[in-house]
């Protein structure tokens, strides 16, 4: 695997023991492309997460400004979800929220998009495989119930769904994804009875509070309607000390690619089911109130303008 990425940078966000105003270095995809494969870490393979250089940010909650609070208040009025909504809302309530956040699309479109996602991401998945293997290795023997939001065609299931006795909930607003996700679950060795597909959105996850050990989300926060509300739902359904494993593409700040993303963003949202190219998702995850966030960054040659990407593990 040839990875045109500089040495991935890492940043730890914690509620304790962190210096003020430190920010991760954001590698430019254009600078990365000029490196040879010998310059890539471990000959193109990612270093263990624990070996990444650490930066610390002191009490990142203090960075939240009035504008952010205003946005969260507006989001709450748009998506009136309580901390225990899963136990009090009926399936009809979730359907109403689903239809409001992700209006129904024609069957031909849902079928086409599911097929494209299932068959058009193979090169990217091959390139990021070593990174995902490292992250999902942290789950071995620690997770009995796993929720994957935006499960899509289920490309992540092969990394974790083979554990004996594991129960997996797959959430996606596109019902046509279920066929592909079930095939992936079967290939991963997950019994059919241990996989449950739920048509829903990240802003309203139809599971009770503190009901899962792990939440998985890869390339999904780019297309949700409200990132902060989705992260609140992730925290709500996680048990204490639960893990949130993520991979998300973010804006290429400070590069020519950022200008390209600005130009292409409206088109990308139209043709890729609401995907945004210019979100600062890493910042959103770090400010979501997790006790600890191990956040790393890299760029991938097969991801084109969907670079750079942040990946890592957040602790409930």
């Amino acid at each position: 695997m040839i990875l045109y990425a500089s040495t991935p940078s890492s940043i730890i966000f914690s509620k304790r023991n962190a210096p003020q105003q430190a920010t991760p270095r954001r590698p430019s995809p254009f600078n990365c492309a000029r490196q040879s494969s010998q310059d890539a870490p471990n000959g193109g393979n990612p270093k263990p997460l624990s070996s990444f250089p650490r930066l610390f940010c002191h009490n990142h909650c203090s960075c939240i400004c009035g504008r952010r609070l205003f946005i969260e208040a507006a989001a709450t009025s748009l998506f009136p979800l309580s901390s225990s909504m899963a136990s009090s809302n009926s399936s009809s309530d979730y359907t109403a929220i689903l239809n409001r956040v992700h209006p129904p699309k024609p069957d031909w479109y849902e079928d086409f998009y599911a097929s494209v996602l299932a068959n058009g991401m193979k090169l990217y998945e091959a390139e990021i495989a070593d990174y995902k293997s490292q992250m999902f290795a942290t789950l071995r023997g620690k997770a009995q119930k796993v929720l994957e939001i935006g499960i899509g065609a289920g490309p992540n299931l092969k990394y974790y769904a083979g554990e004996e006795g594991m129960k997996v909930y797959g959430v996606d607003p596109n019902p046509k994804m279920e066929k592909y996700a079930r095939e992936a679950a079967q290939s991963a060795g997950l019994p059919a009875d241990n996989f449950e597909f739920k048509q829903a959105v990240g802003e309203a996850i139809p599971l009770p509070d503190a009901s899962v050990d792990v939440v998985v989300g890869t390339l999904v926060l780019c297309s949700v309607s409200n990132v902060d509300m989705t992260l609140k739902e992730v925290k709500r359904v996680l048990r204490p000390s639960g893990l949130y494993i993520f991979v998300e593409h973010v804006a290429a700040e400070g590069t020519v690619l950022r200008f390209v993303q600005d130009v292409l963003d409206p088109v990308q949202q139209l043709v890729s089911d609401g995907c945004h190219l210019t979100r600062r998702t890493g910042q959103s995850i770090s400010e979501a109130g997790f006790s600890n966030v191990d956040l790393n960054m890299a760029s991938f040659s097969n991801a084109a303008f969907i670079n750079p990407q942040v990946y890592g593990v957040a602790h409930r």
Side-chain angles (χ1 to χ4, degrees), residues 65-223:
C65 62
R67 181 175 62 181
R68 180 177 174 83
L69 295 177
F70 172 78
I71 292 173
E72 289 188 354
T76 304
S77 64
L78 179 60
F79 307 106
L81 312 179
S82 68
S83 61
S84 59
M85 67 163 293
S87 59
S88 60
N89 282 25
S90 66
S91 59
S92 61
D93 295 322
Y94 284 110
T95 301
I97 296 172
L98 166 67
N99 292 335
R100 175 151 42 101
V101 175
H102 189 88
K105 295 179 174 62
D107 277 352
W108 69 265
Y109 176 86
E110 303 279 39
D111 270 325
F112 174 75
Y113 190 73
S115 177
V116 169
L117 203 63
N119 299 297
M121 300 287 287
K122 293 180 179 179
L123 291 177
Y124 166 78
E125 290 295 340
E127 188 174 9
I128 200 173
D130 287 345
Y131 289 79
K132 286 187 175 183
S133 294
Q134 284 188 32
M135 289 190 298
F136 286 110
T138 62
L139 302 190
R140 295 189 184 123
K142 299 179 181 178
Q144 288 297 306
K145 292 186 177 181
V146 177
L147 161 68
E148 182 160 355
I149 56 173
I151 192 170
N156 298 319
L157 289 168
K158 63 184 178 183
Y159 296 103
Y160 68 84
E163 292 282 328
E164 184 176 357
M166 179 177 286
K167 171 78 173 182
V168 177
Y169 302 95
V171 167
D172 202 284
N174 184 346
K176 304 300 182 181
M177 296 293 188
E178 181 175 3
K179 176 183 69 173
Y180 298 101
R182 287 196 175 277
E183 290 174 355
Q186 183 179 11
S187 298
L190 185 69
D193 291 342
N194 287 15
F195 178 76
E196 185 174 346
F197 182 91
K198 293 179 176 290
Q199 185 187 5
V201 290
E203 292 89 343
I205 299 173
L207 288 176
D209 297 357
S211 58
V212 298
D213 305 301
V214 177
V215 175
V216 176
T218 62
L219 303 185
V220 60
L221 294 183
C222 60
S223 57

Side-chain angles (χ1 to χ4, degrees), residues 7-8 10 42 46-54 134 294 296:
T7 303
S10 176
N42 295 337
K47 294 180 181 179
L49 292 177
S50 60
S51 69
F52 287 121
R54 304 298 190 195
Q134 284 188 32
D294 186 351
N296 310 281

